[in-house]
Amino acid sequence: MRKKEVYKNTLAKQYLVDVRTFNTWIKKHLDKIGLTNDEYAKVKKFTPLQVVRIYECLGEP
């Protein structure tokens, strides 16, 4: 498991989708990831904990 922050577009590439589609998926799970809509809009990188939570919500890429 990675121990560094990960960019949004890097995660989107792992799931083989564009960033717009990825954002749609993530917005359905913001409460589980621990972000508000406003916080998510400002996020460029996800922390390792957030990445783990995204994997839990969307499944491993």
Side-chain angles (χ1 to χ4, degrees):
M1 183 68 34
R2 286 191 189 92
K3 301 219 179 196
K4 59 181 184 174
E5 295 185 331
V6 181
Y7 284 101
K8 274 185 196 179
N9 58 356
T10 305
L11 268 183
K13 285 179 190 169
Q14 288 179 9
Y15 283 100
L16 304 175
V17 295
D18 61 16
V19 174
R20 204 175 275 164
T21 305
F22 183 72
N23 286 341
T24 305
W25 291 353
I26 290 295
K27 287 185 179 180
K28 295 176 185 172
H29 301 289
L30 282 177
D31 54 332
K32 291 180 188 168
I33 296 165
L35 290 169
T36 66
N37 213 356
D38 292 337
E39 288 171 341
Y40 181 70
K42 296 175 188 166
V43 166
K44 299 245 186 300
K45 293 181 179 179
F46 293 108
T47 65
L49 179 61
Q50 289 169 337
V51 171
V52 169
R53 289 179 178 164
I54 289 167
Y55 286 167
E56 288 172 356
C57 291
L58 302 180
E60 292 277 342

Short mmCIF file of all heavy atoms in Angstrom, two decimals:
data_model
loop_
_atom_site.label_atom_id
_atom_site.label_comp_id
_atom_site.label_asym_id
_atom_site.label_seq_id
_atom_site.Cartn_x
_atom_site.Cartn_y
_atom_site.Cartn_z
N MET A 1 0.85 -1.19 0.00
CA MET A 1 0.00 0.00 0.00
C MET A 1 0.89 1.24 0.00
O MET A 1 1.91 1.28 0.65
CB MET A 1 -0.88 -0.05 1.25
CG MET A 1 -1.88 1.05 1.42
SD MET A 1 -3.29 1.23 0.32
CE MET A 1 -3.78 -0.36 -0.14
N ARG A 2 0.45 2.23 -0.76
CA ARG A 2 1.24 3.47 -0.84
C ARG A 2 1.17 4.23 0.47
O ARG A 2 0.15 4.23 1.14
CB ARG A 2 0.67 4.35 -1.94
CG ARG A 2 1.02 3.84 -3.28
CD ARG A 2 0.65 4.91 -4.30
NE ARG A 2 0.79 4.34 -5.60
CZ ARG A 2 -0.19 3.75 -6.27
NH1 ARG A 2 -1.38 3.68 -5.76
NH2 ARG A 2 0.03 3.24 -7.45
N LYS A 3 2.27 4.92 0.78
CA LYS A 3 2.30 5.72 2.01
C LYS A 3 2.42 7.19 1.71
O LYS A 3 2.73 7.97 2.57
CB LYS A 3 3.48 5.26 2.87
CG LYS A 3 3.36 3.80 3.20
CD LYS A 3 3.80 3.52 4.58
CE LYS A 3 3.61 2.05 4.78
NZ LYS A 3 3.59 1.51 6.00
N LYS A 4 2.20 7.58 0.44
CA LYS A 4 2.29 8.99 0.09
C LYS A 4 0.95 9.46 -0.44
O LYS A 4 0.05 8.67 -0.72
CB LYS A 4 3.38 9.20 -0.95
CG LYS A 4 3.16 8.42 -2.23
CD LYS A 4 4.28 8.63 -3.22
CE LYS A 4 3.92 7.88 -4.50
NZ LYS A 4 4.80 8.08 -5.58
N GLU A 5 0.83 10.78 -0.60
CA GLU A 5 -0.41 11.33 -1.12
C GLU A 5 -0.52 11.01 -2.61
O GLU A 5 0.47 10.85 -3.31
CB GLU A 5 -0.43 12.84 -0.90
CG GLU A 5 -0.46 13.22 0.57
CD GLU A 5 -0.63 14.70 0.78
OE1 GLU A 5 -0.19 15.49 -0.07
OE2 GLU A 5 -1.20 15.06 1.81
N VAL A 6 -1.75 10.90 -3.08
CA VAL A 6 -2.01 10.51 -4.47
C VAL A 6 -2.90 11.57 -5.12
O VAL A 6 -3.91 11.98 -4.55
CB VAL A 6 -2.70 9.14 -4.53
CG1 VAL A 6 -2.95 8.72 -5.97
CG2 VAL A 6 -1.88 8.08 -3.82
N TYR A 7 -2.53 11.99 -6.33
CA TYR A 7 -3.32 12.97 -7.07
C TYR A 7 -4.63 12.36 -7.56
O TYR A 7 -4.71 11.17 -7.82
CB TYR A 7 -2.55 13.47 -8.30
CG TYR A 7 -1.46 14.46 -7.97
CD1 TYR A 7 -0.14 14.07 -7.92
CD2 TYR A 7 -1.78 15.80 -7.74
CE1 TYR A 7 0.86 14.99 -7.63
CE2 TYR A 7 -0.79 16.72 -7.44
CZ TYR A 7 0.53 16.31 -7.40
OH TYR A 7 1.51 17.21 -7.10
N LYS A 8 -5.66 13.22 -7.71
CA LYS A 8 -6.96 12.78 -8.22
C LYS A 8 -6.82 12.09 -9.58
O LYS A 8 -7.36 11.02 -9.80
CB LYS A 8 -7.90 13.98 -8.41
CG LYS A 8 -8.66 14.40 -7.22
CD LYS A 8 -9.62 15.52 -7.62
CE LYS A 8 -10.13 16.25 -6.42
NZ LYS A 8 -11.04 17.33 -6.76
N ASN A 9 -6.10 12.75 -10.50
CA ASN A 9 -6.02 12.19 -11.85
C ASN A 9 -5.25 10.87 -11.88
O ASN A 9 -5.51 10.01 -12.71
CB ASN A 9 -5.45 13.20 -12.85
CG ASN A 9 -4.08 13.70 -12.48
OD1 ASN A 9 -3.55 13.38 -11.43
ND2 ASN A 9 -3.50 14.51 -13.34
N THR A 10 -4.32 10.68 -10.95
CA THR A 10 -3.60 9.41 -10.86
C THR A 10 -4.55 8.29 -10.44
O THR A 10 -4.53 7.20 -11.02
CB THR A 10 -2.44 9.52 -9.84
OG1 THR A 10 -1.60 10.61 -10.20
CG2 THR A 10 -1.63 8.24 -9.80
N LEU A 11 -5.39 8.57 -9.45
CA LEU A 11 -6.37 7.57 -9.03
C LEU A 11 -7.37 7.28 -10.14
O LEU A 11 -7.72 6.13 -10.37
CB LEU A 11 -7.13 8.06 -7.79
CG LEU A 11 -6.56 7.67 -6.44
CD1 LEU A 11 -7.47 8.17 -5.33
CD2 LEU A 11 -6.36 6.19 -6.31
N ALA A 12 -7.80 8.32 -10.85
CA ALA A 12 -8.74 8.12 -11.96
C ALA A 12 -8.12 7.20 -13.01
O ALA A 12 -8.79 6.31 -13.53
CB ALA A 12 -9.14 9.46 -12.57
N LYS A 13 -6.84 7.40 -13.31
CA LYS A 13 -6.16 6.53 -14.28
C LYS A 13 -6.10 5.09 -13.80
O LYS A 13 -6.21 4.16 -14.59
CB LYS A 13 -4.73 7.04 -14.55
CG LYS A 13 -4.68 8.26 -15.43
CD LYS A 13 -3.25 8.73 -15.63
CE LYS A 13 -3.20 10.08 -16.31
NZ LYS A 13 -1.87 10.66 -16.28
N GLN A 14 -5.93 4.89 -12.50
CA GLN A 14 -5.91 3.52 -11.96
C GLN A 14 -7.24 2.82 -12.21
O GLN A 14 -7.27 1.62 -12.44
CB GLN A 14 -5.62 3.53 -10.45
CG GLN A 14 -4.20 3.87 -10.10
CD GLN A 14 -3.96 3.90 -8.60
OE1 GLN A 14 -4.81 3.50 -7.81
NE2 GLN A 14 -2.81 4.38 -8.20
N TYR A 15 -8.34 3.58 -12.17
CA TYR A 15 -9.66 3.00 -12.41
C TYR A 15 -10.04 3.04 -13.89
O TYR A 15 -11.15 2.68 -14.25
CB TYR A 15 -10.72 3.73 -11.57
CG TYR A 15 -10.70 3.33 -10.12
CD1 TYR A 15 -10.08 4.11 -9.16
CD2 TYR A 15 -11.30 2.14 -9.70
CE1 TYR A 15 -10.06 3.73 -7.84
CE2 TYR A 15 -11.29 1.76 -8.38
CZ TYR A 15 -10.67 2.56 -7.45
OH TYR A 15 -10.64 2.17 -6.14
N LEU A 16 -9.12 3.53 -14.73
CA LEU A 16 -9.32 3.58 -16.18
C LEU A 16 -10.52 4.42 -16.58
O LEU A 16 -11.28 4.06 -17.48
CB LEU A 16 -9.43 2.15 -16.77
CG LEU A 16 -8.27 1.22 -16.46
CD1 LEU A 16 -8.55 -0.17 -16.98
CD2 LEU A 16 -6.96 1.75 -17.03
N VAL A 17 -10.71 5.55 -15.90
CA VAL A 17 -11.78 6.49 -16.25
C VAL A 17 -11.21 7.90 -16.28
O VAL A 17 -10.11 8.13 -15.78
CB VAL A 17 -12.95 6.44 -15.23
CG1 VAL A 17 -13.64 5.10 -15.27
CG2 VAL A 17 -12.49 6.78 -13.84
N ASP A 18 -11.97 8.84 -16.86
CA ASP A 18 -11.52 10.23 -16.81
C ASP A 18 -11.86 10.83 -15.45
O ASP A 18 -12.63 10.26 -14.68
CB ASP A 18 -12.09 11.04 -17.98
CG ASP A 18 -13.61 11.10 -17.97
OD1 ASP A 18 -14.22 10.78 -16.93
OD2 ASP A 18 -14.18 11.48 -19.00
N VAL A 19 -11.27 11.98 -15.18
CA VAL A 19 -11.43 12.60 -13.85
C VAL A 19 -12.89 12.96 -13.58
O VAL A 19 -13.37 12.84 -12.47
CB VAL A 19 -10.51 13.84 -13.73
CG1 VAL A 19 -10.76 14.57 -12.42
CG2 VAL A 19 -9.05 13.42 -13.81
N ARG A 20 -13.61 13.36 -14.62
CA ARG A 20 -15.01 13.74 -14.45
C ARG A 20 -15.85 12.56 -13.94
O ARG A 20 -16.64 12.69 -13.01
CB ARG A 20 -15.56 14.25 -15.79
CG ARG A 20 -16.73 15.17 -15.63
CD ARG A 20 -17.14 15.74 -16.95
NE ARG A 20 -16.35 16.92 -17.27
CZ ARG A 20 -16.27 17.46 -18.47
NH1 ARG A 20 -16.91 16.94 -19.49
NH2 ARG A 20 -15.56 18.54 -18.66
N THR A 21 -15.66 11.40 -14.55
CA THR A 21 -16.37 10.19 -14.12
C THR A 21 -15.97 9.81 -12.71
O THR A 21 -16.80 9.48 -11.87
CB THR A 21 -16.06 9.02 -15.08
OG1 THR A 21 -16.38 9.42 -16.41
CG2 THR A 21 -16.84 7.78 -14.71
N PHE A 22 -14.66 9.89 -12.44
CA PHE A 22 -14.14 9.56 -11.12
C PHE A 22 -14.76 10.46 -10.05
O PHE A 22 -15.18 10.00 -9.00
CB PHE A 22 -12.61 9.70 -11.12
CG PHE A 22 -11.95 9.33 -9.82
CD1 PHE A 22 -11.88 8.00 -9.42
CD2 PHE A 22 -11.39 10.30 -9.00
CE1 PHE A 22 -11.29 7.66 -8.23
CE2 PHE A 22 -10.78 9.95 -7.81
CZ PHE A 22 -10.73 8.63 -7.43
N ASN A 23 -14.86 11.77 -10.34
CA ASN A 23 -15.47 12.71 -9.41
C ASN A 23 -16.92 12.33 -9.11
O ASN A 23 -17.36 12.42 -7.96
CB ASN A 23 -15.43 14.14 -9.97
CG ASN A 23 -14.05 14.75 -9.90
OD1 ASN A 23 -13.20 14.31 -9.15
ND2 ASN A 23 -13.83 15.77 -10.71
N THR A 24 -17.64 11.89 -10.11
CA THR A 24 -19.04 11.47 -9.91
C THR A 24 -19.10 10.29 -8.96
O THR A 24 -19.94 10.26 -8.05
CB THR A 24 -19.67 11.08 -11.27
OG1 THR A 24 -19.53 12.18 -12.17
CG2 THR A 24 -21.14 10.74 -11.12
N TRP A 25 -18.22 9.32 -9.15
CA TRP A 25 -18.18 8.14 -8.26
C TRP A 25 -17.86 8.56 -6.83
O TRP A 25 -18.51 8.12 -5.89
CB TRP A 25 -17.11 7.16 -8.72
CG TRP A 25 -17.40 6.47 -10.01
CD1 TRP A 25 -18.54 6.51 -10.75
CD2 TRP A 25 -16.49 5.61 -10.71
NE1 TRP A 25 -18.40 5.73 -11.87
CE2 TRP A 25 -17.17 5.17 -11.88
CE3 TRP A 25 -15.19 5.18 -10.48
CZ2 TRP A 25 -16.57 4.31 -12.80
CZ3 TRP A 25 -14.60 4.33 -11.40
CH2 TRP A 25 -15.28 3.90 -12.54
N ILE A 26 -16.85 9.41 -6.68
CA ILE A 26 -16.39 9.81 -5.35
C ILE A 26 -17.48 10.58 -4.60
O ILE A 26 -17.67 10.39 -3.41
CB ILE A 26 -15.11 10.68 -5.47
CG1 ILE A 26 -13.93 9.83 -5.93
CG2 ILE A 26 -14.79 11.34 -4.13
CD1 ILE A 26 -13.50 8.76 -4.98
N LYS A 27 -18.21 11.45 -5.30
CA LYS A 27 -19.20 12.29 -4.63
C LYS A 27 -20.29 11.46 -3.98
O LYS A 27 -20.92 11.90 -3.02
CB LYS A 27 -19.77 13.32 -5.60
CG LYS A 27 -18.75 14.41 -5.87
CD LYS A 27 -19.28 15.52 -6.71
CE LYS A 27 -18.17 16.55 -6.89
NZ LYS A 27 -18.58 17.66 -7.71
N LYS A 28 -20.51 10.23 -4.45
CA LYS A 28 -21.50 9.35 -3.83
C LYS A 28 -21.00 8.81 -2.49
O LYS A 28 -21.79 8.33 -1.69
CB LYS A 28 -21.81 8.18 -4.76
CG LYS A 28 -22.49 8.60 -6.04
CD LYS A 28 -22.68 7.42 -6.97
CE LYS A 28 -23.23 7.84 -8.31
NZ LYS A 28 -23.24 6.76 -9.28
N HIS A 29 -19.69 8.88 -2.25
CA HIS A 29 -19.09 8.28 -1.06
C HIS A 29 -18.34 9.28 -0.18
O HIS A 29 -17.55 8.87 0.66
CB HIS A 29 -18.10 7.18 -1.48
CG HIS A 29 -18.72 6.09 -2.30
ND1 HIS A 29 -19.59 5.16 -1.77
CD2 HIS A 29 -18.60 5.78 -3.61
CE1 HIS A 29 -19.97 4.32 -2.72
NE2 HIS A 29 -19.39 4.68 -3.85
N LEU A 30 -18.60 10.57 -0.35
CA LEU A 30 -17.83 11.58 0.39
C LEU A 30 -17.90 11.38 1.90
O LEU A 30 -16.90 11.57 2.59
CB LEU A 30 -18.32 12.99 0.03
CG LEU A 30 -17.82 13.55 -1.31
CD1 LEU A 30 -18.43 14.91 -1.56
CD2 LEU A 30 -16.31 13.62 -1.35
N ASP A 31 -19.08 11.00 2.41
CA ASP A 31 -19.22 10.83 3.86
C ASP A 31 -18.31 9.70 4.36
O ASP A 31 -17.70 9.83 5.42
CB ASP A 31 -20.67 10.58 4.26
CG ASP A 31 -21.30 9.42 3.50
OD1 ASP A 31 -20.87 9.15 2.35
OD2 ASP A 31 -22.21 8.78 4.05
N LYS A 32 -18.20 8.62 3.61
CA LYS A 32 -17.34 7.50 4.03
C LYS A 32 -15.87 7.87 3.94
O LYS A 32 -15.05 7.39 4.72
CB LYS A 32 -17.60 6.27 3.16
CG LYS A 32 -18.95 5.64 3.38
CD LYS A 32 -19.13 4.42 2.50
CE LYS A 32 -20.55 3.91 2.57
NZ LYS A 32 -20.83 2.92 1.53
N ILE A 33 -15.52 8.71 2.96
CA ILE A 33 -14.12 9.10 2.78
C ILE A 33 -13.73 10.16 3.81
O ILE A 33 -12.57 10.30 4.16
CB ILE A 33 -13.90 9.61 1.34
CG1 ILE A 33 -14.14 8.46 0.36
CG2 ILE A 33 -12.51 10.18 1.15
CD1 ILE A 33 -14.30 8.89 -1.07
N GLY A 34 -14.71 10.88 4.31
CA GLY A 34 -14.44 11.87 5.36
C GLY A 34 -14.21 13.27 4.82
O GLY A 34 -13.46 14.04 5.39
N LEU A 35 -14.87 13.60 3.72
CA LEU A 35 -14.74 14.94 3.13
C LEU A 35 -16.12 15.53 2.90
O LEU A 35 -17.08 14.80 2.65
CB LEU A 35 -14.04 14.86 1.76
CG LEU A 35 -12.57 14.50 1.74
CD1 LEU A 35 -12.13 14.22 0.31
CD2 LEU A 35 -11.74 15.61 2.32
N THR A 36 -16.20 16.87 2.98
CA THR A 36 -17.43 17.54 2.56
C THR A 36 -17.29 17.87 1.08
O THR A 36 -16.20 17.78 0.51
CB THR A 36 -17.66 18.84 3.35
OG1 THR A 36 -16.61 19.75 3.01
CG2 THR A 36 -17.69 18.59 4.84
N ASN A 37 -18.39 18.28 0.47
CA ASN A 37 -18.36 18.64 -0.95
C ASN A 37 -17.38 19.78 -1.21
O ASN A 37 -16.63 19.76 -2.18
CB ASN A 37 -19.76 19.02 -1.41
CG ASN A 37 -20.02 18.65 -2.85
OD1 ASN A 37 -19.14 18.16 -3.54
ND2 ASN A 37 -21.23 18.90 -3.30
N ASP A 38 -17.38 20.79 -0.32
CA ASP A 38 -16.48 21.94 -0.49
C ASP A 38 -15.03 21.53 -0.34
O ASP A 38 -14.16 21.98 -1.09
CB ASP A 38 -16.81 23.04 0.53
CG ASP A 38 -18.16 23.69 0.26
OD1 ASP A 38 -18.63 23.64 -0.90
OD2 ASP A 38 -18.74 24.26 1.20
N GLU A 39 -14.74 20.68 0.66
CA GLU A 39 -13.37 20.21 0.86
C GLU A 39 -12.89 19.42 -0.36
O GLU A 39 -11.77 19.60 -0.82
CB GLU A 39 -13.27 19.31 2.09
CG GLU A 39 -13.41 20.05 3.40
CD GLU A 39 -13.54 19.13 4.61
OE1 GLU A 39 -13.90 17.94 4.42
OE2 GLU A 39 -13.30 19.60 5.72
N TYR A 40 -13.78 18.58 -0.90
CA TYR A 40 -13.41 17.77 -2.05
C TYR A 40 -13.07 18.64 -3.26
O TYR A 40 -12.15 18.36 -4.01
CB TYR A 40 -14.52 16.78 -2.42
CG TYR A 40 -14.15 15.92 -3.60
CD1 TYR A 40 -13.17 14.94 -3.47
CD2 TYR A 40 -14.72 16.11 -4.84
CE1 TYR A 40 -12.80 14.17 -4.55
CE2 TYR A 40 -14.36 15.34 -5.92
CZ TYR A 40 -13.39 14.37 -5.77
OH TYR A 40 -13.01 13.61 -6.85
N ALA A 41 -13.80 19.73 -3.43
CA ALA A 41 -13.56 20.63 -4.56
C ALA A 41 -12.15 21.23 -4.51
O ALA A 41 -11.55 21.50 -5.54
CB ALA A 41 -14.60 21.74 -4.57
N LYS A 42 -11.60 21.40 -3.30
CA LYS A 42 -10.27 22.00 -3.14
C LYS A 42 -9.14 20.96 -3.14
O LYS A 42 -7.98 21.32 -3.26
CB LYS A 42 -10.22 22.79 -1.82
CG LYS A 42 -11.17 23.95 -1.81
CD LYS A 42 -11.20 24.64 -0.46
CE LYS A 42 -12.29 25.68 -0.41
NZ LYS A 42 -12.58 26.13 0.93
N VAL A 43 -9.50 19.68 -3.00
CA VAL A 43 -8.49 18.63 -2.88
C VAL A 43 -7.79 18.39 -4.22
O VAL A 43 -8.44 18.24 -5.24
CB VAL A 43 -9.14 17.31 -2.40
CG1 VAL A 43 -8.21 16.13 -2.59
CG2 VAL A 43 -9.53 17.42 -0.95
N LYS A 44 -6.45 18.39 -4.20
CA LYS A 44 -5.68 18.00 -5.37
C LYS A 44 -5.09 16.61 -5.15
O LYS A 44 -4.96 15.83 -6.07
CB LYS A 44 -4.55 19.00 -5.62
CG LYS A 44 -5.01 20.41 -5.89
CD LYS A 44 -4.68 20.84 -7.28
CE LYS A 44 -4.97 22.27 -7.57
NZ LYS A 44 -6.32 22.69 -7.44
N LYS A 45 -4.71 16.35 -3.88
CA LYS A 45 -4.13 15.05 -3.52
C LYS A 45 -4.94 14.44 -2.38
O LYS A 45 -5.46 15.16 -1.54
CB LYS A 45 -2.70 15.21 -3.01
CG LYS A 45 -1.69 15.67 -4.03
CD LYS A 45 -0.33 15.76 -3.36
CE LYS A 45 0.74 16.19 -4.31
NZ LYS A 45 2.04 16.29 -3.64
N PHE A 46 -5.02 13.12 -2.38
CA PHE A 46 -5.67 12.41 -1.28
C PHE A 46 -4.61 11.91 -0.31
O PHE A 46 -3.54 11.46 -0.73
CB PHE A 46 -6.46 11.21 -1.80
CG PHE A 46 -7.64 11.58 -2.64
CD1 PHE A 46 -7.62 11.37 -4.00
CD2 PHE A 46 -8.76 12.14 -2.07
CE1 PHE A 46 -8.72 11.71 -4.79
CE2 PHE A 46 -9.86 12.47 -2.85
CZ PHE A 46 -9.83 12.26 -4.20
N THR A 47 -4.91 11.94 0.98
CA THR A 47 -4.00 11.38 1.98
C THR A 47 -4.06 9.85 1.88
O THR A 47 -5.03 9.31 1.33
CB THR A 47 -4.41 11.80 3.40
OG1 THR A 47 -5.68 11.23 3.69
CG2 THR A 47 -4.46 13.31 3.55
N PRO A 48 -3.05 9.15 2.41
CA PRO A 48 -3.08 7.68 2.37
C PRO A 48 -4.36 7.09 2.98
O PRO A 48 -4.91 6.15 2.43
CB PRO A 48 -1.85 7.29 3.18
CG PRO A 48 -0.91 8.44 3.00
CD PRO A 48 -1.79 9.66 2.94
N LEU A 49 -4.85 7.66 4.08
CA LEU A 49 -6.07 7.17 4.70
C LEU A 49 -7.27 7.34 3.77
O LEU A 49 -8.10 6.44 3.64
CB LEU A 49 -6.33 7.88 6.03
CG LEU A 49 -7.60 7.47 6.77
CD1 LEU A 49 -7.56 5.98 7.12
CD2 LEU A 49 -7.78 8.30 8.02
N GLN A 50 -7.35 8.48 3.10
CA GLN A 50 -8.44 8.72 2.16
C GLN A 50 -8.36 7.74 0.99
O GLN A 50 -9.39 7.25 0.52
CB GLN A 50 -8.41 10.16 1.66
CG GLN A 50 -8.81 11.16 2.73
CD GLN A 50 -8.53 12.58 2.33
OE1 GLN A 50 -7.69 12.86 1.48
NE2 GLN A 50 -9.21 13.52 2.97
N VAL A 51 -7.14 7.44 0.53
CA VAL A 51 -6.97 6.49 -0.57
C VAL A 51 -7.49 5.12 -0.16
O VAL A 51 -8.21 4.45 -0.90
CB VAL A 51 -5.49 6.40 -1.01
CG1 VAL A 51 -5.29 5.27 -2.00
CG2 VAL A 51 -5.04 7.72 -1.62
N VAL A 52 -7.17 4.70 1.07
CA VAL A 52 -7.65 3.41 1.57
C VAL A 52 -9.18 3.40 1.59
O VAL A 52 -9.82 2.43 1.18
CB VAL A 52 -7.08 3.12 2.97
CG1 VAL A 52 -7.77 1.92 3.61
CG2 VAL A 52 -5.58 2.88 2.89
N ARG A 53 -9.77 4.49 2.06
CA ARG A 53 -11.24 4.57 2.11
C ARG A 53 -11.85 4.55 0.71
O ARG A 53 -12.92 3.96 0.51
CB ARG A 53 -11.67 5.82 2.87
CG ARG A 53 -11.38 5.72 4.35
CD ARG A 53 -11.78 6.98 5.06
NE ARG A 53 -11.54 6.87 6.50
CZ ARG A 53 -11.50 7.91 7.31
NH1 ARG A 53 -11.69 9.13 6.84
NH2 ARG A 53 -11.29 7.74 8.59
N ILE A 54 -11.20 5.19 -0.25
CA ILE A 54 -11.69 5.18 -1.63
C ILE A 54 -11.64 3.76 -2.16
O ILE A 54 -12.59 3.28 -2.80
CB ILE A 54 -10.85 6.12 -2.53
CG1 ILE A 54 -11.15 7.58 -2.16
CG2 ILE A 54 -11.13 5.87 -4.01
CD1 ILE A 54 -10.20 8.59 -2.74
N TYR A 55 -10.56 3.04 -1.89
CA TYR A 55 -10.45 1.63 -2.32
C TYR A 55 -11.57 0.79 -1.69
O TYR A 55 -12.13 -0.08 -2.33
CB TYR A 55 -9.09 1.06 -1.96
CG TYR A 55 -7.93 1.52 -2.81
CD1 TYR A 55 -6.63 1.28 -2.40
CD2 TYR A 55 -8.13 2.19 -4.01
CE1 TYR A 55 -5.55 1.70 -3.17
CE2 TYR A 55 -7.06 2.61 -4.77
CZ TYR A 55 -5.78 2.38 -4.36
OH TYR A 55 -4.72 2.79 -5.12
N GLU A 56 -11.89 1.08 -0.42
CA GLU A 56 -12.96 0.34 0.24
C GLU A 56 -14.31 0.62 -0.42
O GLU A 56 -15.14 -0.28 -0.55
CB GLU A 56 -13.02 0.71 1.73
CG GLU A 56 -11.88 0.14 2.55
CD GLU A 56 -11.85 0.67 3.97
OE1 GLU A 56 -12.68 1.55 4.33
OE2 GLU A 56 -10.99 0.22 4.73
N CYS A 57 -14.54 1.87 -0.82
CA CYS A 57 -15.83 2.23 -1.42
C CYS A 57 -15.95 1.73 -2.86
O CYS A 57 -16.99 1.23 -3.25
CB CYS A 57 -16.00 3.75 -1.41
SG CYS A 57 -16.20 4.44 0.23
N LEU A 58 -14.91 1.91 -3.63
CA LEU A 58 -14.97 1.62 -5.06
C LEU A 58 -14.37 0.26 -5.42
O LEU A 58 -14.48 -0.17 -6.55
CB LEU A 58 -14.23 2.70 -5.88
CG LEU A 58 -14.73 4.13 -5.70
CD1 LEU A 58 -13.89 5.07 -6.57
CD2 LEU A 58 -16.19 4.25 -6.07
N GLY A 59 -13.71 -0.37 -4.47
CA GLY A 59 -13.00 -1.61 -4.77
C GLY A 59 -11.60 -1.29 -5.27
O GLY A 59 -11.33 -0.18 -5.73
N GLU A 60 -10.71 -2.26 -5.15
CA GLU A 60 -9.33 -2.05 -5.64
C GLU A 60 -9.36 -1.85 -7.15
O GLU A 60 -10.10 -2.53 -7.84
CB GLU A 60 -8.45 -3.26 -5.31
CG GLU A 60 -8.19 -3.44 -3.82
CD GLU A 60 -7.05 -2.58 -3.29
OE1 GLU A 60 -6.24 -2.10 -4.09
OE2 GLU A 60 -7.02 -2.38 -2.08
N PRO A 61 -8.54 -0.93 -7.68
CA PRO A 61 -8.53 -0.72 -9.14
C PRO A 61 -7.91 -1.90 -9.86
O PRO A 61 -7.18 -2.67 -9.31
CB PRO A 61 -7.69 0.53 -9.32
CG PRO A 61 -6.92 0.70 -8.06
CD PRO A 61 -7.67 -0.01 -6.98
#
